[in-house]
Each structure stands twice: as structure tokens, then as C-alpha cells.
Amino acid sequence: MGETYFYRAPGARCGDVIPKFIDGKWRIFYLKSWKDPKRPDAVFGWHRMDSADLIHMGPETPVGVLGGTGDLIYAEGKWHLFACRFPEGNQEITHYVSRDESLDRWDFVEEDTFGPDGVIYSGPDWRDPRIIRREDLGEYWMLVAARANEGHAQTGCVGLCVSKDLKNWEYREPFYNPRRFAGACECPDFFRMGGWEYLVFSSYTTLFGTRYVKRRIGETGWKIPKNHRLDGRAFYAAKTADDGNRRCLFGWNPTKEEDLFGFWPKRQPGQDYRTWDWGGNMVIHQLTQQPDGDLGLCLPDGAESFFPVLSNRRMEPVTPGWRERDGQLVAAQEESCQTALCGPMPETGRFSVEMEAGEAVCAGVALHLERDLSRGYFLYVEPQRRRLVFRSWLRQSEEGGKAFPYDVELETALRIPEDGVYRMEIVTEKSAGTVWVNEEAALSFRMYDCREGEFGLFSFGKAKFSNVKAMAMAEK
């Protein structure tokens, strides 16, 4: 993405992304949140940029659309854009039409604005429209982040409205109503892939994150996948787009730079213990599909071209138990944790390793690891618990027992691979990072307080590591 991998404009945060593939290019719209709204060059509303490869991004263009997340569609001979606005505590769907068939100049159609009906849906939630053309029915469907009017607290749903002309909308029963969330199911997205239909949405109650459900084409009932969430707590508001060959998922990894909600602890130094902001850096996953229809996430094709420089790697054991055998690094002790350093970390880097860790309690990669093991960040698999975990340095000392009221900072479910090998890919850029495992699971994270240190390996129990690589961005 130019000279940055996880896109974020200077002086701003990347909010909800509205990705499209139009005329042979990725057209990426997003909600831009200025860190200083009073700066003289701040232009509010949606911004857009183009990309041919999802690696290099073109310059941003403000498009004059104010409000929240939405969608656009070419229909009835022109481009239509739907967004949302928030007047005095209410929420309404808004409609724009392209002035000259471009994607950058839009006219607001005031009379087409509408809110919840008060019968099927109750306020205030009524936002994030997603438009689907139903050719088989000769109509348009609008999915909406909404609340069902059911008289209890768990009414967050994906609403449905139907239109013949994109102007007059009929309210229908919810498209998906799990009766599990107290707030709306945000940023709904719907697509078909390999004989299955998928509904992706994000929720900020019960558990924070981007979720999805699935069903076979032709079925009406939704199924909950084995891992209901895509990525983890540090990835949100994700939507998809495809170029005919691959479908990608675009979301944001929140920063920890402003006390937006007044939750920061008062005595804990540093940023890693702070709470999450709204918006941050753009994260792009490529979708994969399991044989049972579950979705997986992997590093997007072509991303390796951003990291052409192979860094020198060495293995320097810090604790005993390591062996080198047939090109593998073997952690041979069952009863203790074996840790090794593998070289300095570039500011923007890609790290990969293959692990056979079936006998270990946990095994993985350390980032920004201090030589005395006092500080660092840890990405690891727990085969027995079938999960991928991120943990920071905060529990590397006795202070950790005082600071954290919970066990794990970030986690996501992970299947046991049939061949027993966990293939881990990691990209880091300054404080931002994402790890992908086996083209199945992903976990985005933040690293603020430790900026020095090395790339390393560790295993609590027996494990084997091979194809250990560290790569860096080419210098300009």
C-alpha cells in the first residue's frame, strides 16, 4: 500500500471500509476519522482510493458523502449510493445519485431518506445499508443494521427492505435475527461462494468483532460455523468484495491512542494496557473456504511482493532444550519453556514459520523480544485448546498479576491440522500486526510499548520449527 502495508492516512484513523471492484480496479471507499477535527485541511465524510493489487493504494479523494457506512450500485442507468445519518439521536438511511456517472461527485436525494417503521423495526438503530440486486425476483434488497421490535433486550438483527426502483422501500421481516445481541448487527454483507451463501456482520455487544453465518444455496435457515467470528477483538466493521478470482475482507484494526470512552486505567504506564479506539489501520484478509463451507482467512495473494528483502536469520538459544536436526529447530524438552532469538525486527516486516506442536502446551513466535525475556509479544497456538492466542509483555513480571483481570488478551478458534503442521504468517508495521495460520484463522493485534527487541521462537513442551523466515520492506 504505497509505503505502508496497513493503510492509515496521516493524522487520521481508517474507519469502516466499503470495498468495490469496478472496471478492473479495486475502488476502496472508507469512513475517515480525523484525530484533530479542527485541523484546517480536514475534509469530512467518505474518502475513496483505487488499487490494482491491494498492495499499492492510489491517492485519496473525498467524495462529499457525509454520515456512516453504506453501499453503492449501478442500476437504472446510473450510480446510486446509500449511506446513513444520525439526526438528534435518530438514524436514517440516505440516498445519493452520481452527478456525472463518476464515483466522486454525488447529489443527495433528500426525499428518499427513511427510518425504521416502528412496527417490524424499532429505533434508534437503522444504519449501514447493503444493496443486493435480486435478478430472479426483479427487485432490490437492502440489508440494514437494525433492531427487531420484539419487546426484549436482545433485538439486534439484520433488517430487510425491498424495492423495485431504489426509491420506494417496503419493510420485510428481518433477514437474520439471532436474538443474541443488544445492539444492531452492523455493516451487514451478503455474498455467494462455492455453493454457499454467507452473511457477514459486526457486533459490539455480547462479544466484540466481525461474525458470519452460512447456508447452502437454496436453503432458508442459517447455520453457525465452528468459528463464528472472523479474526478477533482487534478487527471490526468488515465487508467483502471480489475481483472474479478472489474475495477479500476489509476491516480495521483499532488503535489505542485516545481515551475516547474514558476507560483508560489511571496508574498503568504505557499504551498496551489501554482500551481500544474507534478506527485505526486498514486490514485486508483473503477469504478461503473449508470443505464444510466454513470460511477461512489468509494473507492476500501478492502481499509477499511488499517484503522482498530476506533478513539474516540466526538461532540463538536463551533457555536450554534446543536441537538442530535435519534442517529443523527442535524444542526437545517436555517440562519447560524453550526460547530462542532469531534476529532483529524490521519496522515493517513479514515473518513465517512452520511448526509441529502437537505435543506442546503452546508454541509460537515472539516479537520485539528482549534478550532477558522480560518484555515482548507472543503469538502462539494451543493445540489442546484449539486456539490461536496473542499475549503482551504485561504478564512477564510480577506486575502482570496485579494488572490483568483475565487470562488471554486476544484469541480465535483454530482447527488441528490433518498433517499436524501449523503454518504461521505474520505481518507487522510499527504498532499494527496480523497473524494468519493455515489459511484458516487470523488475529490482528497492537504492539505499543516494546519497539526494540528481536524476532524469536518459543515452545512450552516439545515442538519442531522449520522454514523460519524474516523478510523486510525494500528501502526507498
Side-chain angles (χ1 to χ4, degrees):
M1 298 181 184
E3 295 187 353
T4 182
Y5 185 81
F6 296 113
Y7 183 84
R8 179 182 176 187
R13 289 186 295 267
C14 175
D16 303 0
V17 182
I18 303 98
K20 295 293 177 183
F21 190 80
I22 300 170
D23 295 335
K25 287 187 178 181
W26 298 91
R27 317 286 184 167
I28 301 173
F29 299 79
Y30 83 98
L31 307 187
K32 188 170 187 175
S33 175
W34 294 92
K35 294 187 69 175
D36 178 9
K38 296 181 180 180
R39 57 185 287 172
D41 61 341
V43 180
F44 297 96
W46 289 29
H47 285 61
R48 184 183 72 82
M49 53 199 163
D50 294 342
S51 177
D53 55 10
L54 295 183
I55 304 299
H56 304 93
M57 295 291 180
E60 287 191 10
T61 301
V63 301
V65 173
L66 300 177
T69 306
D71 196 9
L72 59 151
I73 186 172
Y74 190 81
E76 311 299 322
K78 62 185 71 174
W79 280 105
H80 297 257
L81 186 151
F82 293 86
C84 52
R85 66 182 185 181
F86 313 98
E88 299 179 359
N90 296 315
Q91 297 178 12
E92 298 172 331
I93 303 299
T94 55
H95 182 200
Y96 295 77
V97 175
S98 174
R99 185 177 310 164
D100 52 11
E101 295 197 10
S102 77
L103 299 176
D104 298 328
R105 290 172 291 276
W106 301 90
D107 291 324
F108 178 41
V109 187
E110 174 75 38
E111 65 269 20
D112 291 350
T113 304
F114 70 105
D117 64 339
V119 178
I120 302 175
Y121 302 103
S122 61
D125 292 354
W126 192 253
R127 59 186 181 273
D128 306 349
R130 167 75 166 93
I131 307 300
I132 303 163
R133 173 60 179 172
R134 289 297 307 266
E135 295 287 354
D136 54 332
L137 300 175
E139 60 192 20
Y140 301 95
W141 283 14
M142 178 188 288
L143 306 184
V144 182
R147 292 195 198 187
N149 190 17
E150 292 190 341
H152 56 81
Q154 307 303 316
T155 57
C157 69
V158 175
L160 174 63
C161 293
V162 174
S163 175
K164 296 287 187 180
D165 58 7
L166 295 174
K167 290 183 67 67
N168 301 288
W169 294 93
E170 175 190 345
Y171 299 89
R172 299 276 182 88
E173 292 296 320
F175 191 66
Y176 178 63
N177 186 9
R179 298 180 176 88
R180 190 187 182 197
F181 306 110
C185 296
E186 296 192 301
C187 299
D189 186 28
F190 174 80
F191 60 91
R192 289 180 172 180
M193 183 176 177
W196 291 81
E197 293 181 334
Y198 297 94
L199 174 65
V200 174
F201 62 93
S202 293
S203 65
Y204 53 94
T205 64
T206 305
L207 283 176
F208 190 104
T210 295
R211 302 174 174 277
Y212 79 100
V213 290
K214 65 178 185 178
R215 66 187 180 193
R216 292 190 182 276
I217 294 176
E219 294 181 349
T220 57
W222 293 105
K223 295 180 172 63
I224 306 298
K226 291 183 175 64
N227 184 4
H228 191 17
R229 191 157 63 174
L230 296 165
D231 203 316
R233 168 62 181 86
F235 181 76
Y236 197 71
K239 288 192 171 188
T240 74
D242 81 277
D243 62 1
N245 297 308
R246 58 173 172 165
R247 182 171 289 273
C248 292
L249 182 71
F250 300 70
W252 45 262
N253 174 12
T255 54
K256 294 184 176 183
E257 298 170 0
E258 298 184 57
D259 195 7
L260 296 176
F261 308 107
F263 290 161
W264 280 3
K266 304 304 179 186
R267 297 173 56 191
Q268 176 68 33
Q271 289 181 254
D272 284 327
Y273 192 53
R274 293 176 177 175
T275 52
W276 302 99
D277 300 326
W278 185 95
N281 292 69
M282 188 185 303
V283 174
I284 304 174
H285 299 298
Q286 185 169 317
L287 290 176
T288 64
Q289 193 174 46
Q290 303 290 336
D292 61 2
D294 281 8
L295 294 176
L297 303 173
C298 69
L299 185 69
D301 291 342
E304 63 276 2
S305 67
F306 197 79
F307 307 98
V309 180
L310 186 64
S311 300
N312 293 327
R313 182 191 63 78
R314 54 172 168 72
M315 200 276 279
E316 180 183 343
V318 181
T319 61
W322 289 99
R323 308 284 187 271
E324 292 203 39
R325 183 187 309 151
D326 300 327
Q328 291 183 318
L329 304 176
V330 180
Q333 292 186 355
E334 183 177 2
E335 71 280 6
S336 64
C337 189
Q338 295 130 103
T339 306
L341 298 173
C342 295
M345 284 190 60
E347 184 175 71
T348 301
R350 174 175 166 243
F351 310 90
S352 62
V353 62
E354 296 180 3
M355 302 181 299
E356 296 178 52
E359 298 183 55
V361 174
C362 63
V365 168
L367 304 173
H368 295 295
L369 183 62
E370 298 289 345
R371 298 186 69 82
D372 64 357
L373 309 186
S374 62
R375 288 158 62 92
Y377 303 94
F378 304 88
L379 294 162
Y380 54 91
V381 299
E382 291 185 336
Q384 298 171 36
R385 294 189 175 187
R386 301 190 181 193
R387 67 180 180 178
L388 171 64
V389 175
F390 168 86
R391 182 172 63 79
S392 76
W393 63 276
L394 288 165
R395 269 160 295 176
Q396 291 298 103
S397 70
E398 291 196 10
E399 290 299 316
K402 303 173 185 177
F404 264 84
Y406 47 86
D407 181 36
V408 169
E409 289 163 66
L410 296 167
E411 65 173 328
T412 192
L414 182 65
R415 303 180 190 213
I416 296 176
E418 291 184 3
D419 62 359
V421 179
Y422 295 92
R423 295 168 177 84
M424 183 178 288
E425 294 270 4
I426 305 165
V427 173
T428 66
E429 183 173 49
K430 297 182 180 178
S431 70
T434 299
V435 55
W436 297 266
V437 177
N438 287 349
E439 298 191 344
E440 177 207 342
L443 203 58
S444 296
F445 54 90
R446 285 283 174 176
M447 306 175 294
Y448 282 103
D449 297 337
C450 306
R451 294 298 179 91
E452 304 300 326
E454 298 192 26
F455 164 53
L457 305 174
F458 70 97
S459 178
F460 184 24
K462 295 181 178 181
K464 300 176 183 178
F465 299 83
S466 59
N467 295 320
V468 181
K469 297 179 182 178
M471 291 141 282
M473 182 177 65
E475 295 184 2
K476 301 294 182 182

Short mmCIF file of all heavy atoms in Angstrom, two decimals, residues 66-95:
data_model
loop_
_atom_site.label_atom_id
_atom_site.label_comp_id
_atom_site.label_asym_id
_atom_site.label_seq_id
_atom_site.Cartn_x
_atom_site.Cartn_y
_atom_site.Cartn_z
N LEU A 66 -21.60 12.47 3.48
CA LEU A 66 -21.49 12.59 4.92
C LEU A 66 -22.31 11.50 5.59
O LEU A 66 -23.34 11.07 5.08
CB LEU A 66 -21.97 13.97 5.38
CG LEU A 66 -21.21 15.17 4.81
CD1 LEU A 66 -21.85 16.47 5.28
CD2 LEU A 66 -19.74 15.12 5.20
N GLY A 67 -21.84 11.07 6.76
CA GLY A 67 -22.59 10.06 7.50
C GLY A 67 -21.83 8.76 7.62
O GLY A 67 -20.62 8.69 7.45
N GLY A 68 -22.58 7.69 7.89
CA GLY A 68 -21.98 6.40 8.19
C GLY A 68 -21.90 5.47 7.00
O GLY A 68 -22.13 5.85 5.85
N THR A 69 -21.62 4.21 7.31
CA THR A 69 -21.36 3.17 6.31
C THR A 69 -22.55 2.97 5.37
O THR A 69 -23.70 3.20 5.74
CB THR A 69 -21.07 1.84 7.03
OG1 THR A 69 -20.02 2.06 7.96
CG2 THR A 69 -20.66 0.76 6.07
N GLY A 70 -22.26 2.51 4.16
CA GLY A 70 -23.32 2.24 3.20
C GLY A 70 -22.86 1.37 2.07
O GLY A 70 -22.00 0.51 2.24
N ASP A 71 -23.40 1.62 0.88
CA ASP A 71 -23.12 0.77 -0.27
C ASP A 71 -23.42 1.56 -1.53
O ASP A 71 -24.08 2.61 -1.49
CB ASP A 71 -24.00 -0.49 -0.20
CG ASP A 71 -23.52 -1.60 -1.11
OD1 ASP A 71 -22.42 -1.49 -1.68
OD2 ASP A 71 -24.27 -2.60 -1.26
N LEU A 72 -22.95 1.07 -2.67
CA LEU A 72 -23.29 1.69 -3.94
C LEU A 72 -23.53 0.62 -4.99
O LEU A 72 -23.01 -0.49 -4.90
CB LEU A 72 -22.20 2.67 -4.40
CG LEU A 72 -20.79 2.15 -4.61
CD1 LEU A 72 -20.08 2.98 -5.67
CD2 LEU A 72 -20.00 2.28 -3.29
N ILE A 73 -24.35 0.97 -5.98
CA ILE A 73 -24.74 0.02 -7.01
C ILE A 73 -25.03 0.79 -8.30
O ILE A 73 -25.56 1.91 -8.26
CB ILE A 73 -25.97 -0.79 -6.57
CG1 ILE A 73 -26.30 -1.89 -7.58
CG2 ILE A 73 -27.18 0.11 -6.33
CD1 ILE A 73 -27.40 -2.85 -7.10
N TYR A 74 -24.67 0.21 -9.44
CA TYR A 74 -25.04 0.80 -10.73
C TYR A 74 -26.34 0.15 -11.17
O TYR A 74 -26.41 -1.06 -11.40
CB TYR A 74 -23.94 0.57 -11.77
CG TYR A 74 -24.19 1.37 -13.04
CD1 TYR A 74 -23.84 2.71 -13.11
CD2 TYR A 74 -24.79 0.78 -14.14
CE1 TYR A 74 -24.07 3.46 -14.25
CE2 TYR A 74 -25.03 1.51 -15.29
CZ TYR A 74 -24.67 2.85 -15.34
OH TYR A 74 -24.91 3.58 -16.48
N ALA A 75 -27.39 0.95 -11.28
CA ALA A 75 -28.71 0.42 -11.60
C ALA A 75 -29.58 1.52 -12.18
O ALA A 75 -29.35 2.71 -11.92
CB ALA A 75 -29.38 -0.16 -10.35
N GLU A 76 -30.56 1.13 -12.95
CA GLU A 76 -31.48 2.10 -13.54
C GLU A 76 -30.72 3.19 -14.31
O GLU A 76 -31.12 4.35 -14.34
CB GLU A 76 -32.35 2.74 -12.45
CG GLU A 76 -33.00 1.76 -11.49
CD GLU A 76 -33.95 0.79 -12.18
OE1 GLU A 76 -34.66 1.20 -13.11
OE2 GLU A 76 -33.97 -0.40 -11.76
N GLY A 77 -29.59 2.80 -14.92
CA GLY A 77 -28.84 3.72 -15.78
C GLY A 77 -27.95 4.72 -15.07
O GLY A 77 -27.43 5.63 -15.70
N LYS A 78 -27.71 4.55 -13.76
CA LYS A 78 -26.86 5.50 -13.05
C LYS A 78 -26.33 4.84 -11.77
O LYS A 78 -26.81 3.80 -11.32
CB LYS A 78 -27.63 6.77 -12.70
CG LYS A 78 -28.83 6.56 -11.77
CD LYS A 78 -29.62 7.84 -11.55
CE LYS A 78 -30.37 8.22 -12.80
NZ LYS A 78 -31.26 9.40 -12.57
N TRP A 79 -25.32 5.49 -11.18
CA TRP A 79 -24.79 5.04 -9.90
C TRP A 79 -25.66 5.58 -8.77
O TRP A 79 -26.00 6.76 -8.73
CB TRP A 79 -23.36 5.53 -9.71
CG TRP A 79 -22.34 4.71 -10.44
CD1 TRP A 79 -21.67 5.03 -11.59
CD2 TRP A 79 -21.87 3.42 -10.05
NE1 TRP A 79 -20.83 4.02 -11.95
CE2 TRP A 79 -20.92 3.01 -11.01
CE3 TRP A 79 -22.15 2.55 -8.99
CZ2 TRP A 79 -20.26 1.79 -10.95
CZ3 TRP A 79 -21.48 1.34 -8.92
CH2 TRP A 79 -20.55 0.97 -9.88
N HIS A 80 -25.99 4.67 -7.84
CA HIS A 80 -26.72 5.03 -6.63
C HIS A 80 -25.84 4.70 -5.42
O HIS A 80 -25.18 3.65 -5.39
CB HIS A 80 -28.03 4.24 -6.52
CG HIS A 80 -28.99 4.51 -7.62
ND1 HIS A 80 -30.09 5.33 -7.47
CD2 HIS A 80 -29.02 4.07 -8.91
CE1 HIS A 80 -30.76 5.37 -8.61
NE2 HIS A 80 -30.13 4.62 -9.50
N LEU A 81 -25.84 5.56 -4.43
CA LEU A 81 -25.09 5.34 -3.20
C LEU A 81 -26.04 5.51 -2.02
O LEU A 81 -26.80 6.47 -1.96
CB LEU A 81 -23.92 6.33 -3.10
CG LEU A 81 -22.94 6.15 -1.95
CD1 LEU A 81 -21.56 6.65 -2.34
CD2 LEU A 81 -23.40 6.84 -0.67
N PHE A 82 -25.99 4.56 -1.11
CA PHE A 82 -26.82 4.61 0.10
C PHE A 82 -25.90 4.67 1.32
O PHE A 82 -24.94 3.91 1.42
CB PHE A 82 -27.75 3.40 0.18
CG PHE A 82 -28.80 3.39 -0.89
CD1 PHE A 82 -28.53 2.85 -2.15
CD2 PHE A 82 -30.05 3.93 -0.67
CE1 PHE A 82 -29.49 2.84 -3.15
CE2 PHE A 82 -31.02 3.95 -1.66
CZ PHE A 82 -30.74 3.41 -2.91
N ALA A 83 -26.20 5.57 2.22
CA ALA A 83 -25.42 5.73 3.44
C ALA A 83 -26.40 5.89 4.61
O ALA A 83 -27.56 5.45 4.53
CB ALA A 83 -24.47 6.93 3.32
N CYS A 84 -25.98 6.51 5.70
CA CYS A 84 -26.87 6.75 6.84
C CYS A 84 -26.44 8.02 7.55
O CYS A 84 -25.30 8.45 7.46
CB CYS A 84 -26.88 5.56 7.80
SG CYS A 84 -25.24 5.01 8.33
N ARG A 85 -27.39 8.63 8.25
CA ARG A 85 -27.10 9.82 9.03
C ARG A 85 -27.76 9.69 10.40
O ARG A 85 -28.60 8.82 10.61
CB ARG A 85 -27.57 11.08 8.31
CG ARG A 85 -29.08 11.20 8.14
CD ARG A 85 -29.45 12.46 7.37
NE ARG A 85 -30.90 12.64 7.30
CZ ARG A 85 -31.49 13.65 6.66
NH1 ARG A 85 -30.75 14.55 6.03
NH2 ARG A 85 -32.81 13.75 6.65
N PHE A 86 -27.39 10.59 11.31
CA PHE A 86 -27.76 10.44 12.72
C PHE A 86 -28.32 11.74 13.28
O PHE A 86 -27.68 12.41 14.10
CB PHE A 86 -26.55 9.98 13.52
CG PHE A 86 -25.81 8.84 12.88
CD1 PHE A 86 -24.67 9.06 12.12
CD2 PHE A 86 -26.27 7.54 13.02
CE1 PHE A 86 -24.00 8.01 11.52
CE2 PHE A 86 -25.60 6.48 12.42
CZ PHE A 86 -24.46 6.71 11.67
N PRO A 87 -29.53 12.13 12.89
CA PRO A 87 -30.09 13.40 13.37
C PRO A 87 -30.67 13.27 14.79
O PRO A 87 -31.59 12.48 15.03
CB PRO A 87 -31.19 13.69 12.35
CG PRO A 87 -31.64 12.34 11.88
CD PRO A 87 -30.41 11.47 11.91
N GLU A 88 -30.12 14.02 15.73
CA GLU A 88 -30.68 14.15 17.08
C GLU A 88 -31.03 12.82 17.72
O GLU A 88 -32.15 12.60 18.20
CB GLU A 88 -31.91 15.06 17.04
CG GLU A 88 -31.61 16.47 16.55
CD GLU A 88 -32.85 17.33 16.49
OE1 GLU A 88 -33.94 16.82 16.81
OE2 GLU A 88 -32.73 18.51 16.13
N GLY A 89 -30.08 11.90 17.70
CA GLY A 89 -30.28 10.62 18.35
C GLY A 89 -31.04 9.60 17.54
O GLY A 89 -31.22 8.46 17.99
N ASN A 90 -31.52 9.97 16.37
CA ASN A 90 -32.18 9.02 15.47
C ASN A 90 -31.22 8.57 14.38
O ASN A 90 -30.11 9.10 14.25
CB ASN A 90 -33.42 9.67 14.84
CG ASN A 90 -34.46 10.02 15.88
OD1 ASN A 90 -34.76 9.22 16.76
ND2 ASN A 90 -35.00 11.23 15.80
N GLN A 91 -31.65 7.60 13.58
CA GLN A 91 -30.82 7.12 12.48
C GLN A 91 -31.71 6.95 11.25
O GLN A 91 -32.85 6.48 11.36
CB GLN A 91 -30.14 5.80 12.84
CG GLN A 91 -29.18 5.95 14.01
CD GLN A 91 -28.53 4.65 14.42
OE1 GLN A 91 -28.60 3.65 13.71
NE2 GLN A 91 -27.88 4.66 15.58
N GLU A 92 -31.16 7.33 10.07
CA GLU A 92 -31.92 7.29 8.83
C GLU A 92 -31.03 6.82 7.69
O GLU A 92 -29.84 7.12 7.65
CB GLU A 92 -32.47 8.68 8.49
CG GLU A 92 -33.44 9.23 9.52
CD GLU A 92 -33.81 10.68 9.24
OE1 GLU A 92 -32.98 11.41 8.65
OE2 GLU A 92 -34.93 11.08 9.63
N ILE A 93 -31.63 6.09 6.74
CA ILE A 93 -30.94 5.71 5.51
C ILE A 93 -31.02 6.88 4.53
O ILE A 93 -32.07 7.51 4.38
CB ILE A 93 -31.58 4.47 4.88
CG1 ILE A 93 -31.58 3.31 5.87
CG2 ILE A 93 -30.86 4.08 3.59
CD1 ILE A 93 -30.21 2.87 6.33
N THR A 94 -29.90 7.19 3.88
CA THR A 94 -29.84 8.27 2.91
C THR A 94 -29.50 7.75 1.52
O THR A 94 -28.88 6.69 1.38
CB THR A 94 -28.80 9.32 3.33
OG1 THR A 94 -27.52 8.67 3.52
CG2 THR A 94 -29.20 9.99 4.63
N HIS A 95 -29.89 8.51 0.50
CA HIS A 95 -29.73 8.11 -0.90
C HIS A 95 -29.02 9.22 -1.66
O HIS A 95 -29.39 10.39 -1.56
CB HIS A 95 -31.11 7.84 -1.51
CG HIS A 95 -31.08 7.37 -2.93
ND1 HIS A 95 -32.18 7.45 -3.77
CD2 HIS A 95 -30.09 6.81 -3.67
CE1 HIS A 95 -31.86 6.95 -4.95
NE2 HIS A 95 -30.61 6.56 -4.92
#
